Amino acid sequence: SVVGEDGNETVENKGYFLGQVNLGSGANSFINHRGAVLEIGPLFLLGDSGNTLTNHGIMIIGGMNKTQRTNMTGSFVQTKSGITFSELDFKSGKIDQLYMTGSAKLGGKLNLSLLNPQLVKPGHDRKILFSAAEGVTDAGMKLVTVPSVVITYDLIYPSKTTAELDYTVDFSPKGNLGINLREVGDYFNRIQ
């Protein structure tokens, strides 16, 4: 953890940072440089909503193999070189999320992986990935997922303040399935 005093502080991560920050009042910033890894904790307090976390490197929300909501004071910018890792857990129904008091500008990539995929159920769902009280801007963020024949994903911006994962699970997708595979898929849709 990094705890700041009242004043203007800049934290630059050029290696590996794990945990939380509380920088207090003042003009503060946290820069995760290209090639660096930021494993962000449940609180990331930059102070004023205009203070910014900038990700040029890799950001992992809550670490791997667990989902977490991070509450942040300040704004978030991910540049075209930045990558955020997020996980969707089909057991708990939760996803890694970043909620902030400022704004978000989303570029680069969002790598999505699945926890407990054996528990996936058919149907349509949406989960908030980023929520920014002062607005979310799509700066070209690309969603990266493992290819699947039963799950289709999309990164959407349904309101001015959120970026969400929209996904549909269908074990009997339309396409070139033979009659036997379609019937098996329909069966899975019914029992899941």
Side-chain angles (χ1 to χ4, degrees):
S1 290
V2 173
V3 178
E5 301 294 323
D6 290 338
N8 302 334
E9 289 144 342
T10 298
V11 178
E12 294 193 46
N13 180 33
K14 295 181 180 180
Y16 185 88
F17 183 93
L18 167 66
Q20 306 182 128
V21 299
N22 185 354
L23 297 183
S25 62
N28 303 313
S29 64
F30 189 105
I31 302 167
N32 192 48
H33 286 279
R34 194 175 202 152
V37 177
L38 168 61
E39 195 170 318
I40 195 168
L43 292 175
F44 208 81
L45 308 176
L46 297 175
D48 185 79
S49 65
N51 295 339
T52 304
L53 163 60
T54 303
N55 183 35
H56 300 287
I58 295 172
M59 183 174 78
I60 304 167
I61 301 173
M64 301 304 289
N65 297 315
K66 69 174 190 164
T67 56
Q68 173 183 286
R69 174 177 163 159
T70 296
N71 292 312
M72 179 179 144
T73 58
S75 295
F76 176 67
V77 173
Q78 181 164 290
T79 64
K80 65 182 178 179
S81 66
I83 303 169
T84 294
F85 284 84
S86 183
E87 296 171 309
L88 171 61
D89 186 353
F90 287 110
K91 183 175 183 178
S92 68
K94 295 181 180 178
I95 193 167
D96 287 320
Q97 303 172 307
L98 184 60
Y99 276 70
M100 66 211 74
T101 60
S103 63
K105 185 175 180 183
L106 305 176
K109 295 178 183 172
L110 178 89
N111 281 16
L112 179 73
S113 57
L114 306 177
L115 299 176
N116 299 301
Q118 72 279 8
L119 300 175
V120 66
K121 296 195 181 330
H124 175 259
D125 205 349
R126 285 183 7 191
K127 306 273 187 212
I128 294 174
L129 291 161
F130 299 94
S131 177
E134 295 181 3
V136 173
T137 302
D138 176 4
M141 181 175 268
K142 303 281 188 246
L143 179 63
V144 179
T145 62
V146 174
S148 172
V149 295
V150 299
I151 306 175
T152 56
Y153 307 92
D154 197 11
L155 179 61
I156 63 171
Y157 299 84
S159 74
K160 293 179 181 179
T161 60
T162 62
E164 301 181 15
L165 175 69
D166 183 89
Y167 65 97
T168 301
V169 178
D170 186 354
F171 291 100
S172 182
K174 294 177 178 41
N176 294 328
L177 292 179
I179 187 75
N180 290 342
L181 288 177
R182 191 172 307 110
E183 287 179 5
V184 169
D186 289 341
Y187 174 74
F188 281 133
N189 280 339
R190 285 190 305 274
I191 65 168
Q192 285 289 92

